[in-house]
Amino acid sequence: MRRVRFHSYGGPEVLRVEEAEAPVPGPGELLVRTEAIGVTLPCVRRVRGDGKGGGDPLPSMPGGEIAGEVVALGPDVTGFAVGDRVTSVTLTGSYTELALAPAFLASRIPDGASAVEAVALVRSGHVALAALSTANPQGAESVLITGAASGTGHLAVQLAKLQGVPRVVAAVSSAAKAEFLYGLGADEVVTYDQESWGEPVDVVLDGVGGEVLPWALAAVAEGGRLVFFNSGGGTIPAYELLAGSRTVIGLTMRRFTTVHRERYEAHRERLWELAGSGRLRAVVHAELPLADAAKAHEIIEGRTNLGKVVLRP
């Protein structure tokens, strides 16, 4: 089988396509023949060694979102069968023709839905719904979303409007993305380099972090809250929280899926329901062959994508 690994940290140029033996699923794992692979900002940052602790042991493989057909089951796996079409998340090794996926994170792809649609919708949609659920905007409360044109962000914009949020502000790197976001229902679009992001909002969903985080916090109104679900890190002065009575809430999907399992399952059903009815659009910016993983990373690093970037084995 073919897979993509990196032997040193760096930019897209460190990604290598290699031949390898097919992995064997262990306890609780599915072996999936991938049909679509999601490329995300956390994947890009892992390749650069920007993760916690300075990066993974080398050589390593990016982990992330996959969709495809189950070809083997590990010991003690129940609820799935060979031949099932599923989407899931891998902790490592998603850029490959045959991927190992934890069964507890897998879900079936409905009949009639494509693998590309599944990988663009499910994981990013789960993150968007978990962030909105954690923030829990009520009544006339407003929401600002950073990385609003990303795979997760563009779904969060739509889901916020579908939940009845009266004012949704989309924050992005370039004004060229404004038309795309207005088309998805955003009420306002701001760029990171603006001196002001407009009137403060009650809720910020921050999927970017890093240098954007101080601006995101500044956009939170007095008594408001920021849900932080990115891999970019950043520092928040405690005084900023005290002075504005603001709250910052950290969100990881690993904990959310464990602690809020029923809500997670309900979110999955909701995502497919909305997509099936046409009320939620999972936009795919580009589909590239596995061998072009470096090009996919260039798109993410350049912040030019409108929606999801997908690799096809």
Side-chain angles (χ1 to χ4, degrees):
M1 70 169 195
R2 292 181 307 155
R3 67 183 182 189
V4 175
R5 291 203 302 174
F6 55 100
H7 294 252
S8 61
Y9 299 117
E13 72 282 352
V14 304
L15 296 173
R16 301 182 189 176
V17 180
E18 304 174 344
E19 292 290 334
E21 294 293 325
V24 177
E29 291 184 324
L30 307 174
L31 182 62
V32 178
R33 187 180 306 281
T34 57
E35 299 171 16
I37 301 159
V39 181
T40 65
L41 183 58
C43 288
V44 171
R45 285 170 168 164
R46 286 182 69 177
V47 172
R48 287 200 169 273
D50 294 339
K52 183 178 180 181
D56 303 324
L58 297 174
S60 186
M61 297 174 64
E65 310 152 342
I66 62 166
E69 180 182 347
V70 176
V71 295
L73 306 173
D76 303 324
V77 171
T78 60
F80 293 97
V82 171
D84 285 347
R85 297 176 66 245
V86 300
T87 182
S88 188
V89 177
T90 66
L91 304 181
T92 183
S94 65
Y95 290 19
T96 178
E97 292 176 327
L98 290 166
L100 295 174
F104 82 96
L105 290 176
S107 59
R108 287 183 180 81
I109 300 172
D111 292 341
S114 71
V116 171
E117 182 182 7
V119 87
L121 174 71
V122 177
R123 181 61 175 177
S124 294
H126 268 307
V127 174
L129 278 177
L132 282 165
S133 174
T134 300
N136 193 27
Q138 298 289 315
E141 288 191 320
S142 52
V143 173
L144 181 145
I145 299 159
T146 67
S150 69
T152 297
H154 87 286
L155 295 176
V157 168
Q158 297 174 74
L159 289 165
K161 293 306 294 184
L162 287 168
Q163 289 186 13
V165 175
R167 177 182 171 226
V168 174
V169 183
V172 289
S173 59
S174 167
K177 300 178 179 181
E179 182 178 355
F180 171 71
L181 290 161
Y182 283 129
L184 296 178
D187 299 292
E188 301 171 29
V189 178
V190 299
T191 57
Y192 302 143
D193 59 359
Q194 289 181 207
E195 289 188 10
S196 169
W197 288 5
E199 289 296 316
V201 296
D202 301 290
V203 171
V204 168
L205 308 181
D206 182 22
V208 178
E211 70 276 8
V212 171
L213 180 57
W215 293 93
L217 183 61
V220 179
E222 184 174 345
R225 53 212 180 273
L226 182 150
V227 177
F228 188 78
F229 61 95
N230 65 78
S231 61
T235 301
I236 296 176
Y239 179 76
E240 293 294 327
L241 304 182
L242 176 66
S245 297
R246 301 180 179 95
T247 301
V248 174
I249 308 167
L251 169 67
T252 66
M253 290 307 297
R254 180 189 291 270
R255 176 171 171 76
F256 190 89
T257 56
T258 302
V259 177
H260 304 293
R261 189 67 191 179
E262 290 185 3
R263 201 186 313 174
Y264 180 81
E265 297 292 344
H267 285 176
R268 183 183 65 214
E269 298 300 323
R270 177 69 170 157
L271 288 169
W272 282 117
E273 174 195 349
L274 291 171
S277 67
R279 289 177 288 169
L280 179 65
R281 288 197 296 132
V283 179
V284 176
H285 176 85
E287 295 182 40
L288 301 170
L290 183 64
D292 285 346
K295 183 175 180 181
H297 277 225
E298 288 173 2
I299 293 171
I300 299 294
E301 290 197 355
R303 295 180 175 177
T304 59
N305 59 302
L306 302 176
K308 197 73 175 177
V309 177
V310 177
L311 294 175
R312 298 293 302 272

